Amino acid sequence: MHIKNTQKKQKKLEKTLTIFKNLEIPFTSLDFSNYLKRSGFWIRNKEVSTFLFNEFNKKKSLEDFSSTEIEVLVNKEVLTATVYCPKTMNPNLYLKIDQKAITKEEFEKNYKKVENEYRD
């Protein structure tokens, strides 16, 4: 069962990456994970961050994108995040630096549509 869920999760991540690439806009792992959560698919931002890192650095599926560290605000604390940006754009155009991750509680209340967290 775990292998099936892992494969389903991988397919969902790859499909979502295609959507983000086709939008041709700068994005972070938080944009990506919140998008998935709003669509009713629970995933931790850490998993998305690792996936995007691997896609950019190992698989080269983001070869038309640059990777830039930016400062973001998290609970009034300045941290860094990676913004993936089409090479034809300036990464400084990314302005959503004070977003909040959708929590498990918010997901359960507002976005969860079915019991199976690995649904399509």
Side-chain angles (χ1 to χ4, degrees), residues 19 23 25-26 39 44 60 63 68 74-75 81-82 94 113 118-119:
I19 292 168
L23 288 172
I25 59 171
S39 73
R44 293 175 41 234
K60 305 294 185 200
E63 64 187 357
T68 305
V74 178
N75 298 325
T82 301
Y94 184 84
K113 297 178 177 111
Y118 297 109
R119 72 176 184 84

Side-chain angles (χ1 to χ4, degrees), residues 3-109:
I3 291 171
K4 183 179 178 185
N5 286 344
T6 301
Q7 291 171 341
K8 206 166 187 182
K9 184 186 293 185
Q10 186 65 27
K11 285 183 183 180
K12 187 72 166 179
L13 288 166
E14 290 168 0
K15 183 177 177 181
T16 304
L17 181 58
T18 299
I19 292 168
F20 272 71
K21 284 170 41 176
N22 289 340
L23 288 172
E24 296 184 356
I25 59 171
F27 65 91
T28 64
S29 61
L30 186 57
D31 295 313
F32 200 99
S33 63
N34 279 347
Y35 172 88
L36 286 166
K37 292 171 188 175
R38 286 186 190 101
S39 73
F41 186 88
W42 173 257
I43 192 161
R44 293 175 41 234
N45 187 52
K46 175 86 172 143
E47 292 174 275
V48 171
S49 179
T50 300
F51 168 77
L52 291 173
F53 176 84
N54 289 336
E55 291 295 313
F56 185 81
N57 292 298
K58 296 178 183 173
K59 295 185 180 178
K60 305 294 185 200
S61 57
L62 284 168
E63 64 187 357
D64 294 334
F65 283 71
S66 64
S67 166
T68 305
E69 294 294 313
I70 61 168
E71 290 184 345
V72 294
L73 297 172
V74 178
N75 298 325
K76 299 180 181 177
E77 184 179 354
V78 177
L79 302 174
T80 59
T82 301
V83 64
Y84 298 93
C85 184
K87 288 182 177 177
T88 58
M89 295 179 73
N90 182 339
N92 293 325
L93 294 175
Y94 184 84
L95 302 175
K96 300 185 286 183
I97 61 167
D98 61 350
Q99 292 186 80
K100 291 187 173 54
I102 295 171
T103 65
K104 185 72 168 176
E105 293 77 23
E106 290 174 287
F107 174 78
E108 296 285 334
K109 181 180 176 186

